[in-house]
Amino acid sequence: MQETLISFEHFTFQYRAQSEPTLYDINLTINKGERVIIVGASGCGKSTLAHCLNGLIPYSYPGHSEGKLSVCGIEAKNSSIFELSQFVGTVLQDTDGQFIGMTVLEDIAFSLENDCVPKEEMLDRTREEALKVHLLDKMKASPHELSGGQKQRVSMAGVLINRIPVLLFDEPLANLDPAAGKAAVELIDEIQKKSDTTVIIIEHRLEDALHMGADRIILMEDGRIICDTTPSVLFAGDRLLKAGIREPLYITAMKYAGIDLKPEMKLQRIQELELTKEIKDGIRSWYYNQSPPRKAEKSANLLSVDELSFGYTEEKMNLNRIGFTVRNGEMISIVGKNGAGKSTLAKLLCGFEKSDSGSITLKGKEISEDTIKERAQFIGYVMQNPNQMISKPMIFDEVALSLRVRKLSEEDITERVHRVLKKCGLYEFRKWPVSALSYGQKKRVTIASILVQEPEILILDEPTAGQDFRHYTEFMEFLKELNGHGITVMMITHDMHLMLEYTERTFVFADGEMIADTTPSALFSNRELIGRASLKETSLFWIAEQAEIPAEQFIEKFIAYDRQVRN
Amino acid sequence: MAAILSYIERESVIHKLTGTTKLIFFIFWSIAAMVTYDTRVLIVMFFTGCLLFYVSRLKWTEIRFALIFMFVLMAINMVGIFLFSPEQGVEIYQTRHVLIHLFWRYTVTIEQLFYMFNFMMKYMAVIPVALLFILATNPSEFAASLAGIGVNYRIAYAVAIALRYIPDVQKDFREISQAQQARGIDLSKKDSFMDRMKNSSAILFPLVLASLHRIEVISNAMELRGFGKMKKRTWIVGRKLSARDYIALVMAVMTVVFSMVVTFYDGSRFYNPFL
């Protein structure tokens, strides 16, 4: 009989500040050595569930609970965050925030220090853990010298050092580029196999998390567990989509091709899936029945960048002789790993930094010498986190800010603000405070506050990070609509789905160079390019290969069909 | 950014001393400088301080901004002393050599100038050692050393963690201010002072929110890893005192003794060249 480590029995939890419980009647057991992925739309209670496990509830977030929760034989109710942290090690989403020490060495040793372990023993154990996560050569590095993936590995070592039986990951992939995410999942897999640790992962990016394989997927909706089963059973049905979660693309592709999916087909991982002749034929016939999507007509040139170079220091070039032309009304994605130069490019275009050489031309006019303020009338920049942009308590004032600074008359301001609020679907909220809005709506407010300056190009940094599938679709359709009104959109993103589904052109960056200017489907059919840009292959490519049909066209047809189905 | 003083790694004897030693040395040194107004002591201390700074292999150019800032503060302080008590020097030294009468109660006397010179020298004697302490002490080691001399480790760690996250907050600040400038918010000198004050709230408001969020993440992360569980904690960067630390500590004690002896030898805190 398997050893039960975690058991919820009729567990209900309500935050002190809330009028309704966030978790209802949770029944769940997790055994030793299991790998469990918890999915659900934003606000479904999955983070709350995690907080109950590691003791942040009720230690940091007080509230009232009913029912039973035991962790490694201990009643959570009678326990403390310190006792629970000996059993459950938590790796949070924010790779910077949770890096507490000044160096890798200190961060890994942090919990040992708190346990008053003598220094000599700490040094030995820290080295041992650093070896496990392949960071032994980085012991003296400070967090600023590390990549996101490396910082996350430090955090893993920092909890593993306590030899804990349960590892809990709260959206581990959200801040990583696709290749780093893949590496992270593989490392978790390796550690789990070696130590027989129980692994619980909360993650939106289900297909990426499943790369390591999972025993079970727990699907949550509105504070309840609505499904607790193996991946294969879940994928054969349609409950994921109904709960607003994206299925792995290979599953969606097979469903579109009309293939009757059965749990016994080993749907859980693409590595295990066997495509029978029947399935391949199904995919092939679907492919040949789809007409190729229409290509957009080419419009006039809007923005040209030529030989653009820039370095923060003299020794290192962060951007090296970049050149491209953007046409009016395009929707472009900019991809590549962290530090490849994507954000630097955006900063140069907006004038936040001054280029060392090269030119930026907008509608035939050289703008390299223009100030930030002058450029803002043509190029708008939207940061990833709306909370970093919003500075007024009321929505109207926030959107009106840039016009008031320009000292326009109040009537003009009201007219323009109302117009842009209508465009962004926020008109009925115009008298609301910003704090009453959801994350996605706040994001719209920041876009409205930029659009009110009537720029022709909108640059967005990670527009959909941290949003679930439903909000992602809503938000991206909104951007698509703006794009339809003639606004050119450029997006910096790690999200391969976004790139595939919403952009017709993509700029690929690696180490300060622009290594490709191509279509997303062509990019995904080029293994070498994917590797250089730290991206991850899509399972659609694999399906096309298996079915022996041209991958690029297959991906294009799939995306076009998918958009039709979803709208 | 050179504007913020922070740890600079170098190979030097000073860097090799433990944080505890440097902290105690700094405290003793400050006491010695606070107690005395004896010009001879202060001058010796100032030159010794400069010598120590030289030994540390840090460069004055690395702290130019901080120095200018401190000199400005010192100048303001001097002007303040003169405005509020222009006859302080006369009172102390019991003589009155007038250089020039300005207006009303303000007369420049040699005694006042000498008094103010002494006052300035007190700063000058402390500044090199204070800078050394800040620049040559690894922040985590500093926290460890604070705890080492009996400060509650929670408070000691708060200092280290503030130093750890300063660069992150600076980055937030830079990004927020750039994004707000793109909305036409100008913080340059072109706008009036009032406008600039108003505009800076557009940066501070998000920055404060972002920082509060960061604090929540950090404190959760710390508690999840057992911070605050026990009454004590150990430090992986903590070091045991070695021979050179004891030598430095003896020097610190000797400085205080030397300062006291020379100062109180003649029964007054002030060295009086006028009598």
Side-chain angles (χ1 to χ4, degrees), chain A residues 135-424:
Chain A
L135 280 173
L136 207 50
D137 54 332
K138 295 274 182 198
M139 289 299 251
K140 282 194 157 172
S142 70
H144 310 284
E145 298 162 37
L146 301 175
S147 70
Q150 287 171 328
K151 278 182 258 195
Q152 194 180 57
R153 269 144 61 192
V154 174
S155 301
M156 276 165 69
V159 297
L160 284 169
I161 203 164
N162 280 330
R163 298 167 187 153
I164 31 96
V166 181
L167 254 179
L168 175 65
F169 292 89
D170 194 353
E171 300 202 24
L173 305 178
N175 287 346
L176 303 182
D177 63 55
K182 189 175 164 203
V185 170
E186 283 167 359
L187 183 63
I188 298 173
D189 181 43
E190 185 188 319
I191 288 170
Q192 197 279 335
K193 279 192 184 130
K194 268 189 208 153
S195 57
D196 202 27
T197 315
T198 304
V199 173
I200 304 172
I201 300 181
I202 295 174
E203 185 55 61
H204 283 303
R205 284 156 64 173
L206 184 58
E207 183 171 355
D208 293 340
L210 271 175
H211 177 65
M212 66 168 225
D215 299 311
R216 274 194 291 159
I217 296 181
I218 314 281
L219 177 60
M220 292 185 67
E221 193 171 52
D222 298 329
R224 293 172 202 276
I225 291 178
I226 57 166
C227 204
D228 173 359
T229 181
T230 62
S232 210
V233 172
L234 190 63
F235 295 156
D238 60 353
R239 301 191 80 161
L240 269 182
L241 272 184
K242 279 191 182 146
I245 307 295
R246 185 197 288 278
E247 291 174 327
L249 290 181
Y250 61 91
I251 299 289
T252 315
M254 289 196 288
K255 284 185 180 169
Y256 286 166
I259 292 155
D260 187 20
L261 296 180
K262 301 253 168 46
E264 54 277 14
M265 290 164 81
K266 292 190 184 160
L267 303 170
Q268 64 270 31
R269 278 171 92 193
I270 193 159
Q271 296 98 312
E272 292 169 39
L273 181 66
E274 243 175 82
L275 292 192
T276 57
K277 184 168 176 307
E278 192 189 344
I279 298 177
K280 285 180 189 167
D281 287 342
I283 289 166
R284 265 195 293 265
S285 73
W286 177 84
Y287 171 74
Y288 289 114
N289 280 330
Q290 294 291 313
S291 50
R294 269 189 309 127
K295 292 256 193 284
E297 282 166 38
K298 294 208 164 169
S299 48
N301 286 356
L302 180 63
L303 176 79
S304 293
V305 166
D306 194 33
E307 293 279 309
L308 192 69
S309 293
F310 173 77
Y312 284 100
T313 55
E314 276 176 27
E315 296 90 58
K316 192 178 170 269
M317 291 309 266
N318 296 79
L319 276 185
N320 204 355
R321 303 175 63 185
I322 305 297
F324 57 81
T325 300
V326 176
R327 293 169 183 281
N328 213 343
E330 278 190 305
M331 205 141 162
I332 295 174
S333 52
I334 305 175
V335 299
K337 74 169 157 194
N338 287 332
K342 301 173 311 233
S343 299
T344 310
L345 174 67
K347 285 179 178 171
L348 287 175
L349 292 179
C350 298
F352 298 162
E353 304 286 352
K354 267 211 160 352
S355 58
D356 297 333
S357 62
S359 69
I360 305 172
T361 328
L362 190 91
K363 290 202 275 192
K365 185 180 159 280
E366 167 69 37
I367 58 164
S368 299
E369 294 303 314
D370 287 7
T371 61
I372 299 180
K373 211 169 165 176
E374 284 161 341
R375 290 194 214 186
Q377 304 185 19
F378 310 106
I379 305 176
Y381 176 66
V382 182
M383 295 171 85
Q384 176 180 340
N385 181 352
N387 295 326
Q388 289 204 321
M389 293 185 78
I390 294 173
S391 56
K392 297 282 172 199
M394 303 303 291
I395 291 172
F396 185 94
D397 297 334
E398 178 62 25
V399 177
L401 181 70
S402 59
L403 302 181
R404 290 205 170 119
V405 173
R406 273 155 61 187
K407 307 221 157 63
L408 267 63
S409 74
E410 265 314 299
E411 291 135 54
D412 274 0
I413 291 177
T414 310
E415 198 250 305
R416 279 174 72 169
V417 170
H418 282 178
R419 190 166 4 121
V420 81
L421 284 177
K422 274 177 200 157
K423 209 190 252 178
C424 296

Side-chain angles (χ1 to χ4, degrees), chain A residues 371-539:
Chain A
T371 61
I372 299 180
K373 211 169 165 176
E374 284 161 341
R375 290 194 214 186
Q377 304 185 19
F378 310 106
I379 305 176
Y381 176 66
V382 182
M383 295 171 85
Q384 176 180 340
N385 181 352
N387 295 326
Q388 289 204 321
M389 293 185 78
I390 294 173
S391 56
K392 297 282 172 199
M394 303 303 291
I395 291 172
F396 185 94
D397 297 334
E398 178 62 25
V399 177
L401 181 70
S402 59
L403 302 181
R404 290 205 170 119
V405 173
R406 273 155 61 187
K407 307 221 157 63
L408 267 63
S409 74
E410 265 314 299
E411 291 135 54
D412 274 0
I413 291 177
T414 310
E415 198 250 305
R416 279 174 72 169
V417 170
H418 282 178
R419 190 166 4 121
V420 81
L421 284 177
K422 274 177 200 157
K423 209 190 252 178
C424 296
L426 291 166
Y427 185 68
E428 58 265 50
F429 303 118
R430 64 194 177 281
K431 287 177 181 155
W432 283 33
V434 175
S435 55
L437 298 181
S438 72
Y439 185 87
Q441 288 168 324
K442 278 187 192 168
K443 194 105 194 160
R444 283 185 190 219
V445 170
T446 61
I447 289 181
S449 70
I450 298 298
L451 283 182
V452 79
Q453 303 189 78
E454 295 169 357
E456 291 168 61
I457 302 176
L458 207 52
I459 302 178
L460 299 106
D461 196 354
E462 290 292 350
T464 55
Q467 298 186 46
D468 64 36
F469 189 40
R470 188 178 300 149
H471 292 100
Y472 160 90
T473 307
E474 253 175 51
F475 187 78
M476 289 312 298
E477 286 302 323
F478 160 65
L479 277 186
K480 191 91 199 156
E481 207 182 299
L482 288 180
N483 181 246
H485 290 302
I487 290 171
T488 305
V489 179
M490 296 172 82
M491 290 171 286
I492 298 171
T493 186
H494 285 325
D495 188 339
M496 297 298 99
H497 295 127
L498 185 160
M499 172 178 78
L500 260 178
E501 291 166 358
Y502 287 96
T503 64
E504 56 257 20
R505 201 174 155 198
T506 185
F507 297 165
V508 186
F509 278 75
D511 302 321
E513 316 243 349
M514 189 163 134
I515 57 172
D517 169 0
T518 180
T519 64
S521 42
L523 168 61
F524 275 120
S525 322
N526 185 338
R527 276 217 173 99
E528 190 253 331
L529 202 53
I530 286 179
R532 276 174 72 199
S534 288
L535 305 176
K536 183 177 167 283
E537 271 175 29
T538 160
S539 49

